[in-house]
């Protein structure tokens, strides 16, 4: 495996260097667009409490990785940010609802998320469950009624892909195997991979593919993007597991060291930290190689892959 830092670099003639792509500026701009759209997406209605609970978690921050991936692949495939914003918001609603439910006492029983008290700690378990349900249903409504300039046939494919990512074929299935594997001695890498390709990978893949579907990308592009997404999805989780050991609560915005405490099987518990980092690097290299064919158009997605590896929270 070759590290990106060690690739031999042939200097280009003066004046012909490609313009630098500034990921931090790109992410900040996209985040602002997503935050503005999310802020407007859930107006307070009646009964006020449930709207407040939904808004509390959706507007609590977060990296907004899934919406940004959706916007990036839509643009890569020739579409616009405007076409993809409703789906981008829906992805964040779905992601947030999965966090709300994951934090419940019946699941991971967490008190902090995104640097704030978890939804059930503020609103109670009953409302937190309903806030999750409300967000999930609203995400699909939002895509269906707010998306513009996209053929209905493509929109239908997006809706199907979102459903597939949430259902037993995705997040729900991954969560069930995760719950079942708790307390299991020595779960295998295959079980870990199943859990995380479903719990984490499925929605990341849906984020990447939905943007491209909105822009009516051809099948060959979808296949490459799907492979990119699967690789970054697994790398994302390996990094997450490493950060659970190496990062602080302040950096993570949630309880650190939870996996160790719960004696949960993780990639570092099987491979150790250094090998886990090597595996993540190799997945990121493979993800980036998938996109080489797209040239400069893939720069945001390539930079996001690097960001996933280098992130500290
Ligand atoms: C979807 C119907 C339905 C039920 C939910 C609870 C559950 C079933 C699934 C758990 C899904 C889950 C919480 C997966 C973990 C995904 C993950 C790595 C979250 C952290 O993502 P980041 O780092 O978080 O992108 P931010 O806060 O930055 O958005």
């Amino acid at each position: 495996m070759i590290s990106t830092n060690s690739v031999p670099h042939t200097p280009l003639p003066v004046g012909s260097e490609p313009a630098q792509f500034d990921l931090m500026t790109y992410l900040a701009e996209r985040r602002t667009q997503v935050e503005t759209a999310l802020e407007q997406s859930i107006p307070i209605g009646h009964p006020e409490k449930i709207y407040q609970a939904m808004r509390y978690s959706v507007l609590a921050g977060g990296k907004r990785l899934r919406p940004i991936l959706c916007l990036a692949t839509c643009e890569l495939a020739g579409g616009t940010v405007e076409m993809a914003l409703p789906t981008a918001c829906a992805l964040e609603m779905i992601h947030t609802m999965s966090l709300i439910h994951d934090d419940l006492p019946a699941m991971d029983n967490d008190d902090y998320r995104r640097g704030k008290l978890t939804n059930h700690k503020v609103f109670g378990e009953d409302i937190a469950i309903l806030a999750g349900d409300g967000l999930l249903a609203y995400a699909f409504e939002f895509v269906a009624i707010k998306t513009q300039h996209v053929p209905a046939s493509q929109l239908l494919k997006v809706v199907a892909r979102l459903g597939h990512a949430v259902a037993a074929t995705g997040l729900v299935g991954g969560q069930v195997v995760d719950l079942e594997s708790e307390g299991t001695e020595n779960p295998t890498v295959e079980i870990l991979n199943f859990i995380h390709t479903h719990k984490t990978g499925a929605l990341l893949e849906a984020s990447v593919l939905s943007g491209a579907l909105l822009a009516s990308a051809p099948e060959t592009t979808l296949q490459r993007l799907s492979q990119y997404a699967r690789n970054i999805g697994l790398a994302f989780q390996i990094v997450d597991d490493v950060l659970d050991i190496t990062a602080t609560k302040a950096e993570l915005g949630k309880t650190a060291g939870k996996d160790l405490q719960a004696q949960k099987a993780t990639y570092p518990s099987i491979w150790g930290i250094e090998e886990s980092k090597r595996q993540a690097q190799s997945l990121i290299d493979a993800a980036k190689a998938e996109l080489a064919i797209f040239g400069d158009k893939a720069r945001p997605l390539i930079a996001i892959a690097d960001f996933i590896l280098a992130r500290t929270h």
Side-chain angles (χ1 to χ4, degrees):
M1 185 194 67
I2 303 167
S3 135
T4 43
N5 296 331
S6 63
V7 174
H9 179 66
T10 314
L12 292 163
V14 176
S16 63
E17 292 92 348
Q20 279 292 312
F21 176 77
D22 182 352
L23 178 68
M24 288 309 141
T25 306
Y26 174 84
L27 290 180
E29 278 172 12
R30 289 288 176 271
R31 244 180 236 137
T32 304
Q33 286 172 312
V34 169
E35 294 295 341
T36 307
L38 281 172
E39 168 62 43
Q40 293 164 359
S41 67
I42 312 172
I44 298 275
H46 178 75
E48 206 176 308
K49 193 186 210 177
I50 190 66
Y51 290 94
Q52 272 166 351
M54 288 158 69
R55 286 176 63 86
Y56 174 80
S57 291
V58 168
L59 303 177
K63 294 179 285 298
R64 309 309 195 192
L65 181 61
R66 293 149 191 85
I68 293 172
L69 281 169
C70 170
L71 300 179
T73 56
C74 186
E75 285 193 293
L76 177 140
T80 62
V81 167
E82 188 202 359
M83 284 161 73
L85 258 180
T87 303
C89 289
L91 285 159
E92 193 62 27
M93 291 177 202
I94 293 171
H95 170 55
T96 303
M97 79 71 55
S98 81
L99 299 180
I100 296 174
H101 281 197
D102 192 54
D103 290 335
L104 287 168
M107 304 259 184
D108 257 14
N109 194 17
D110 261 304
D111 292 351
Y112 290 95
R113 172 70 71 176
R114 293 173 163 172
K116 297 174 79 172
L117 282 172
T118 42
N119 200 288
H120 65 273
K121 281 278 159 190
V122 178
F123 296 94
E125 267 184 71
D126 44 6
I127 295 295
I129 292 169
L130 292 167
D133 295 343
L135 281 171
L136 182 58
Y138 187 50
F140 285 88
E141 179 187 350
F142 198 74
V143 170
I145 64 173
K146 296 289 181 188
T147 307
Q148 287 184 331
H149 314 302
V150 173
S153 58
Q154 290 304 114
L155 202 52
L156 209 51
K157 288 182 191 172
V158 168
V159 170
R161 171 50 70 170
L162 293 178
H164 187 76
V166 171
T169 42
L171 269 77
V172 168
Q175 183 75 349
V176 170
V177 176
D178 195 8
L179 292 171
E180 280 178 354
S181 75
E182 260 173 40
T184 310
E185 263 183 46
N186 309 324
T188 58
V189 169
E190 287 70 32
I191 292 180
L192 268 194
N193 285 347
F194 182 94
I195 292 171
H196 298 306
T197 51
H198 291 74
K199 267 187 77 167
T200 306
L203 195 59
L204 287 173
E205 189 176 357
S207 306
V208 164
L209 288 182
S210 58
L213 284 168
L214 290 164
S216 303
E219 190 53 40
T220 47
T221 299
L222 295 175
Q223 275 172 15
R224 285 196 176 277
L225 288 174
S226 180
Q227 207 46 55
Y228 163 85
R230 285 167 192 222
N231 285 320
I232 63 163
L234 216 44
F236 184 91
Q237 189 57 50
I238 297 173
V239 171
D240 224 52
D241 285 357
V242 170
L243 287 175
D244 186 71
I245 298 169
T246 59
T248 61
K249 180 183 170 208
E251 283 171 316
L252 295 179
K254 61 178 185 178
T255 319
K258 259 221 115 188
D259 297 340
L260 270 180
Q261 218 174 33
Q263 291 182 312
K264 211 170 171 174
T266 62
Y267 289 103
S269 76
I270 294 181
W271 290 328
I273 291 185
E274 287 316 309
E275 179 58 17
S276 299
K277 286 183 178 172
R278 270 192 291 277
Q279 294 276 350
Q281 172 78 65
S282 141
L283 286 162
I284 291 297
D285 289 345
K288 294 196 307 190
E290 255 344 293
L291 303 188
I293 196 166
F294 300 117
D296 281 357
K297 281 192 296 184
R299 287 205 286 184
L301 290 174
I302 286 177
I304 290 170
D306 285 328
F307 168 77
I308 284 173
L309 194 65
R311 74 197 173 95
T312 54
H313 63 283

